[in-house]
Amino acid sequence: MAAANSRRVPRAERERQMLDAAVAVFARRGYRAASMDEIAEAAGVSKPLVYLYLNSKDELFSACIRREAAALTAAVRDAVEEGATPERQLWSGLLGFFEHAAVHPDGWTLLYSQARTVGEPFAAEVAVLRAEIVAFVAALIAAACGSRDVEAYAHALVGAAESLAGWAAAAPAPAPTGKELAASLMTFAWSGLSRALPAPDPEAAGGSSAAEG
Amino acid sequence: MAAANSRRVPRAERERQMLDAAVAVFARRGYRAASMDEIAEAAGVSKPLVYLYLNSKDELFSACIRREAAALTAAVRDAVEEGATPERQLWSGLLGFFEHAAVHPDGWTLLYSQARTVGEPFAAEVAVLRAEIVAFVAALIAAACGSRDVEAYAHALVGAAESLAGWAAAAPAPAPTGKELAASLMTFAWSGLSRALPAPDPEAAGGSSAAEG
Amino acid sequence: MAAANSRRVPRAERERQMLDAAVAVFARRGYRAASMDEIAEAAGVSKPLVYLYLNSKDELFSACIRREAAALTAAVRDAVEEGATPERQLWSGLLGFFEHAAVHPDGWTLLYSQARTVGEPFAAEVAVLRAEIVAFVAALIAAACGSRDVEAYAHALVGAAESLAGWAAAAPAPAPTGKELAASLMTFAWSGLSRALPAPDPEAAGGSSAAEG
Amino acid sequence: MAAANSRRVPRAERERQMLDAAVAVFARRGYRAASMDEIAEAAGVSKPLVYLYLNSKDELFSACIRREAAALTAAVRDAVEEGATPERQLWSGLLGFFEHAAVHPDGWTLLYSQARTVGEPFAAEVAVLRAEIVAFVAALIAAACGSRDVEAYAHALVGAAESLAGWAAAAPAPAPTGKELAASLMTFAWSGLSRALPAPDPEAAGGSSAAEG
DNA sequence: TATGAATGAGGCTTCATTCAT
DNA sequence: AATGAATGAAGCCTCATTCAT
C-alpha cells in the first residue's frame, strides 16, 4: 500500500528500504511513539519481515543510528580539507555538515533530536559521536588560537551549528544554504575566538555571507 | 507509599506535588515512556487523583511545559538589567539562564530535550518560547551591532547557550558555574560579533561592574 | 460471559477466581497452548486485571503450581495417621492422595502432566514436590521392611499410584473410588515388599478390595 | 549450517534425518514450544523441505509418535520370550522396555511426557499404545494369578515401570541398568501379586535361566 | 531435490483512562 | 479529598505456512 514495491527483493536492498523507512518514522515520531506497524507499512513490507531482518525495535533503532552517524561523520570527514589552516578546515567541515543535514533531514533529526532524548543505551551511542565532533573542533580551535577554555568554546560552536541546522530545516521556502549558514557561523564565532584577526578575508575564512550570497 | 504524604492536602499544594513529580518523570523518561502510574506513585497519590486534578496525560504534560517555561522566562527576565547596554543585558540574561538551568535541571531537560522531540501540539508551545528568546536576543544584537544576518546570529547564540547548559549539566563534579559559562559564551560570541571591541577579555565582556556580585 | 461474576470483587477473592480458572485452563491445554485470553475469560475478568494481580503468564503458572502442590501435600499430610504402623501410614496416605486427586482433577493434572513437561523453572518446582513424596514413601518402606533398593521401590510405588490416579480420572462413569484404588495398590505392592506378611488382614492393611467394595 | 549435510540426499534418508531432529526437539521442548525453524535447523535443511516431505507440524509430530511407538512396541515384542511362563514373559518384556527407554531417551520422553500432555488428537494415539501395553500386561497377570482386579494391577505395574524409567533417565552417572530396574520391579510387584512365591529373591523372580545373558 | 523471500494470525504485555465508593 | 477495582485499545514479537525459483 505504501510503496508499490516489487515482490521478491534481495535482502540487502530490502534492509536498506527498511532502514530508510525506519529513519523517517523514528525522526518524525520519536522512538517510543514510532510503531513497528507504521515502519513496516512505510517500508512496503509486512512486520514479520522487519523482524526477520532486523530482530527487534531496539536493534532497528540502533541500526538507524549507526547508519546515520556513519553517514554524517563520513560527510564531514570528506568535506574537511586536510592540510589546510585550522580556520579553513573548520569552514569546510561546517559546510559539509550543513549540507549533509540539509540533504538528510531525517537522519539529522534522528541523531540530534530523537536519539539523544531516548534513554540508554542509545543516548550513549550518540553521545560518543558528539564527543568526537566536539573533540575535533576543540583541536582546531586550540591549533588556531591556543585559547584556554577550548572545551567550552567547542561545545558552544557545536551547539551553534546544531541550532542553525535546525533553524534552516524549519525555515520557510528559501531556506539558508549550507554556504550561508557556514559563513554566518564563521563570522559569528571565528573572529570572536581569534580576536586578533585583522580583517577576515572572505576567501581565507571560507567566504563571508556578503561575498557569497 | 512513595512519599509519606499526609492525607487531606489542599488542592493547590497537591497540584504542585503532582507537577513536581511529573516534571521529574517526564524529564527522565520522555513523554511516551513516562507512565501515569509512575507519576502518581512519585507524587505519592493515587492515579484517579491525578486525573481529577489534571485531566489527562496530555494536559499534565502541557501544564508541566507551561510551568517550566514560565519559570525559565521569569528567571531570565528578572536577571536582565533593563536600561543597561545591550551587551550587558545579554550577559545578565545568559547568567540568569545558566543559573536557572543549573538549579532546575529537570525543567531544563523537559523544555530542551523532551518537549521539542514530542510531536505536536507540545513542540509548538516550546517553539514559541524559543522564538521569543531568539527574538529578544536578535533585538539585542541588532541594537548593538546593527548587524545584518541578525537572525542567524541569534539562533547560533541561543544554540550555543543550550549546548553549554547541557554540557554543564552532564559535566563531572565541579561543573562550570553559571558565571563561567556566561563568560565563556560572551567571549566566544560577543567579541566575534563586534569585532571592533578593543580588549575583549572575559571580565570586560562578561560584566565588569557591580553585577559581578 | 464465562461466569456471571458480580463487579467490584475484593482482590483476594478475585485472585482465587483467577487461579481457579488458570488451573483449569493450564490443566486442559498445557502451559504453552493456554492463552491468557482464555484464562481471563474463564475467570470472568479482563486480561489486564489478571496481569495487575498476577504479573505474567510465568508467575501465574507458578502460582498455580504452588497452590496445587500445597493443597496436595496438605491433603496427604492430613490423611496420614501419625503414630500408626508404616503400612497403615502408607495406606492412609494413599487414600488421601487418591481422594484428593479425584476431587481436584485439574490440580492433579497440572502437577502430574503439565508442570513436569514444561521446561525449567517449573519442572524443578514439581520435581521437588515429587522427591519429597518419594522420600516419605521410601522412609515408610525402609521402616517396614528394612529392604535394600528402597529408592527404586519408592519410585515404583509412586509411579503406580500416579498411574492409578490417571486411570481412575479417565475411567467411565463408575470410576474406582479412592478406597478401592488404595486397596488395590496396597495389595499389589505392600505384600510384595513385605513378602513375609502372612495373610494381609484387610483392616490392618487398610482394607482389601474385597472387604471394602 | 547446522549439520554439514551433503546436498542431494535421497528422500528416505532425508525424512529420517528430519524425524530424528524432530523427535529430539519435540522431546526437549514439547509440542507447542518446538518451532519448525528449530527442527529444520537441527535437521540441517530448509523449512520448505520439511513441509514438502512432512506437510505440517501436526503431521510431523504424528509421524514422530508413530515411529517411536512402533520402535518401542517392536523392542518389547522382540524381547518377550514367547511360550515362556507369564512371569518370565513379563520379566523379559520389562527388560526390553527399560533397555529401549535407556537407549532412546528422546523417543521415550516424547511418548511418555510430551505426547500425553498435548491435547487431541495426539493423546489418543499414545493412549492407544498404552492401552495395548496395559492389556498385554493384564493378560499376563490374569494368566499367572487369575487375580481379580487385574486391570488395576496392570495399570499400577505399567505406571511403576514408567516411573522407574523416568527415574533412571534422570539419575546421575551410574544409572541403574535395565536389568536392575526389571529385577527391582519384578521383586516389587510380582511377588506381591503372587504372594505364594516361596523365596522371591531378585534372581529367581527376575529370570533365573539363560535369559540372563 | 532444495531454498531465500515473505506473510496472516495470534499471543504476551502495558497503558491511559474510568467507575463506584 | 481520595482511592481500590476494572478495562478497551494498542504495541512488540513469534510462528506455522506458502510462494517463486
Side-chain angles (χ1 to χ4, degrees):
Chain A
M1 184 176 286
N5 283 312
S6 37
R7 297 279 140 130
R8 305 251 126 208
V9 174
R11 173 165 183 157
E13 183 171 348
R14 269 282 190 255
E15 285 195 359
R16 200 183 44 64
Q17 292 174 356
M18 290 177 190
L19 287 176
D20 289 345
V23 167
V25 174
F26 281 135
R28 191 149 29 249
R29 300 248 193 267
Y31 176 72
R32 291 293 299 237
S35 86
M36 295 298 274
D37 266 306
E38 184 177 0
I39 291 170
E41 176 168 343
V45 298
S46 69
K47 229 185 332 174
L49 200 58
V50 180
Y51 280 90
L52 188 61
Y53 286 174
L54 289 144
N55 300 324
S56 73
K57 195 182 187 184
D58 268 30
E59 284 191 38
L60 174 56
F61 192 59
S62 186
C64 289
I65 291 175
R66 288 197 307 275
R67 192 183 77 164
E68 296 306 317
L72 176 59
T73 55
V76 173
R77 186 172 47 243
D78 292 355
V80 168
E81 298 175 16
E82 301 202 42
T85 65
E87 183 179 356
R88 181 138 198 110
Q89 285 191 42
L90 185 54
W91 152 263
S92 53
L94 285 173
L95 184 57
F97 166 74
F98 285 123
E99 292 187 334
H100 181 85
V103 176
H104 300 285
D106 287 340
W108 160 247
T109 301
L110 185 74
L111 294 175
Y112 175 63
S113 294
Q114 302 299 356
R116 288 168 72 184
T117 69
V118 139
E120 297 306 316
F122 307 117
E125 295 192 49
V126 179
V128 166
L129 169 67
R130 196 169 193 269
E132 286 171 2
I133 294 178
V134 168
F136 173 66
V137 170
L140 290 182
I141 293 175
C145 322
S147 177
R148 295 152 301 126
D149 233 354
V150 158
E151 202 174 5
Y153 294 156
H155 274 280
L157 182 52
V158 169
E162 290 168 342
S163 180
L164 285 174
W167 173 54
T177 66
K179 242 176 222 168
E180 289 165 349
L181 293 169
S184 291
L185 185 47
M186 287 303 289
T187 302
F188 168 75
W190 195 253
S191 60
L193 291 168
S194 62
R195 353 169 178 122
L197 267 185
D201 170 8
E203 269 319 293
S208 78
S209 58
E212 299 280 340
Chain B
M1 191 169 285
N5 284 311
S6 37
R7 298 276 148 130
R8 302 264 142 195
V9 173
R11 172 157 183 160
E13 168 87 1
R14 271 279 191 254
E15 284 198 359
R16 199 184 48 63
Q17 289 173 357
M18 290 178 191
L19 286 176
D20 288 347
V23 167
V25 173
F26 281 135
R28 190 148 30 248
R29 301 244 192 270
Y31 175 72
R32 292 292 300 231
S35 84
M36 295 298 274
D37 267 303
E38 184 177 0
I39 292 170
E41 176 169 344
V45 298
S46 72
K47 239 185 324 177
L49 198 60
V50 179
Y51 279 89
L52 187 63
Y53 285 177
L54 288 144
N55 301 319
S56 75
K57 194 184 186 183
D58 270 29
E59 286 190 37
L60 174 56
F61 191 60
S62 187
C64 290
I65 291 176
R66 287 197 309 274
R67 192 182 77 165
E68 296 307 315
L72 177 60
T73 54
V76 173
R77 186 172 46 244
D78 292 355
V80 168
E81 298 175 17
E82 300 204 41
T85 66
E87 180 182 356
R88 180 143 196 101
Q89 285 192 42
L90 186 54
W91 152 263
S92 52
L94 285 173
L95 185 57
F97 166 75
F98 285 123
E99 292 186 335
H100 180 85
V103 176
H104 301 284
D106 286 341
W108 160 248
T109 300
L110 186 74
L111 293 175
Y112 175 62
S113 293
Q114 302 300 355
R116 290 168 71 184
T117 68
V118 135
E120 297 308 317
F122 309 115
E125 295 192 51
V126 178
V128 167
L129 168 67
R130 200 169 192 270
E132 286 171 2
I133 294 177
V134 168
F136 173 66
V137 171
L140 291 182
I141 293 175
C145 325
S147 180
R148 293 150 300 124
D149 234 352
V150 158
E151 202 174 2
Y153 294 156
H155 274 281
L157 183 52
V158 169
E162 291 167 340
S163 180
L164 285 175
W167 173 55
T177 66
K179 220 175 266 176
E180 288 166 346
L181 293 170
S184 290
L185 186 47
M186 287 303 290
T187 303
F188 169 74
W190 194 255
S191 64
L193 291 168
S194 61
R195 280 162 245 146
L197 268 184
D201 88 60
E203 276 314 299
S208 44
S209 60
E212 281 298 71
Chain C
M1 182 175 287
N5 284 312
S6 38
R7 297 278 141 131
R8 304 251 127 207
V9 174
R11 174 166 181 155
E13 182 171 347
R14 269 280 189 256
E15 284 195 0
R16 200 183 45 64
Q17 291 174 356
M18 290 177 191
L19 287 176
D20 289 346
V23 167
V25 174
F26 281 135
R28 190 149 29 250
R29 300 248 192 267
Y31 176 71
R32 291 292 299 236
S35 86
M36 295 298 274
D37 266 307
E38 184 177 0
I39 291 170
E41 176 168 344
V45 297
S46 69
K47 232 187 329 175
L49 200 59
V50 180
Y51 279 90
L52 187 63
Y53 286 174
L54 289 144
N55 300 323
S56 73
K57 195 182 185 183
D58 268 30
E59 285 191 36
L60 174 57
F61 192 60
S62 185
C64 289
I65 291 176
R66 288 197 308 274
R67 192 182 77 164
E68 297 307 316
L72 177 59
T73 54
V76 173
R77 186 173 46 244
D78 292 354
V80 168
E81 299 175 17
E82 300 201 44
T85 65
E87 183 179 356
R88 180 138 197 109
Q89 284 191 44
L90 184 54
W91 152 262
S92 53
L94 284 174
L95 183 57
F97 166 74
F98 284 124
E99 291 186 336
H100 180 85
V103 175
H104 300 285
D106 286 340
W108 160 247
T109 301
L110 184 74
L111 293 176
Y112 175 62
S113 293
Q114 302 299 356
R116 289 168 72 184
T117 69
V118 140
E120 297 306 317
F122 307 117
E125 295 192 49
V126 179
V128 167
L129 168 68
R130 197 170 194 270
E132 286 171 2
I133 293 177
V134 168
F136 173 67
V137 170
L140 291 182
I141 294 176
C145 324
S147 180
R148 294 151 302 124
D149 232 355
V150 159
E151 200 174 5
Y153 294 156
H155 273 280
L157 182 52
V158 169
E162 291 167 340
S163 180
L164 284 175
W167 172 55
T177 66
K179 242 177 223 167
E180 288 165 348
L181 293 169
S184 291
L185 186 46
M186 287 302 289
T187 304
F188 168 74
W190 196 253
S191 61
L193 291 167
S194 61
R195 9 188 158 106
L197 268 185
D201 168 11
E203 267 322 294
S208 78
S209 58
E212 299 281 340
Chain D
M1 188 171 285
N5 285 311
S6 36
R7 297 278 148 127
R8 302 265 141 195
V9 173
R11 172 158 186 159
E13 168 88 2
R14 270 280 191 254
E15 286 197 357
R16 200 184 47 65
Q17 290 175 356
M18 290 178 191
L19 286 176
D20 288 346
V23 167
V25 174
F26 281 134
R28 189 148 32 247
R29 300 244 193 270
Y31 176 72
R32 291 292 300 230
S35 84
M36 294 298 274
D37 267 303
E38 184 177 359
I39 292 170
E41 177 170 343
V45 298
S46 70
K47 239 186 324 178
L49 199 59
V50 179
Y51 279 89
L52 188 63
Y53 284 177
L54 288 143
N55 301 318
S56 74
K57 194 184 186 184
D58 270 28
E59 287 190 36
L60 174 56
F61 191 60
S62 186
C64 289
I65 291 175
R66 288 197 309 274
R67 192 182 78 167
E68 296 307 315
L72 177 59
T73 53
V76 173
R77 187 172 48 243
D78 292 356
V80 168
E81 297 174 19
E82 300 202 44
T85 65
E87 180 182 356
R88 180 143 196 102
Q89 284 191 44
L90 185 54
W91 152 263
S92 53
L94 284 173
L95 184 58
F97 166 74
F98 285 123
E99 292 186 335
H100 181 84
V103 175
H104 301 284
D106 286 341
W108 161 248
T109 300
L110 185 74
L111 294 175
Y112 175 62
S113 293
Q114 302 299 356
R116 290 168 72 184
T117 69
V118 134
E120 297 306 317
F122 308 116
E125 296 192 48
V126 179
V128 167
L129 168 67
R130 198 167 193 272
E132 287 170 2
I133 293 177
V134 168
F136 173 67
V137 171
L140 291 182
I141 293 175
C145 324
S147 178
R148 291 151 301 120
D149 233 352
V150 159
E151 202 174 3
Y153 294 155
H155 273 281
L157 182 54
V158 170
E162 290 168 341
S163 180
L164 285 175
W167 172 56
T177 66
K179 221 175 263 174
E180 289 164 347
L181 293 169
S184 290
L185 185 48
M186 286 304 290
T187 303
F188 169 74
W190 196 254
S191 62
L193 292 168
S194 62
R195 280 163 245 146
L197 267 185
D201 87 60
E203 276 314 300
S208 45
S209 60
E212 280 298 70

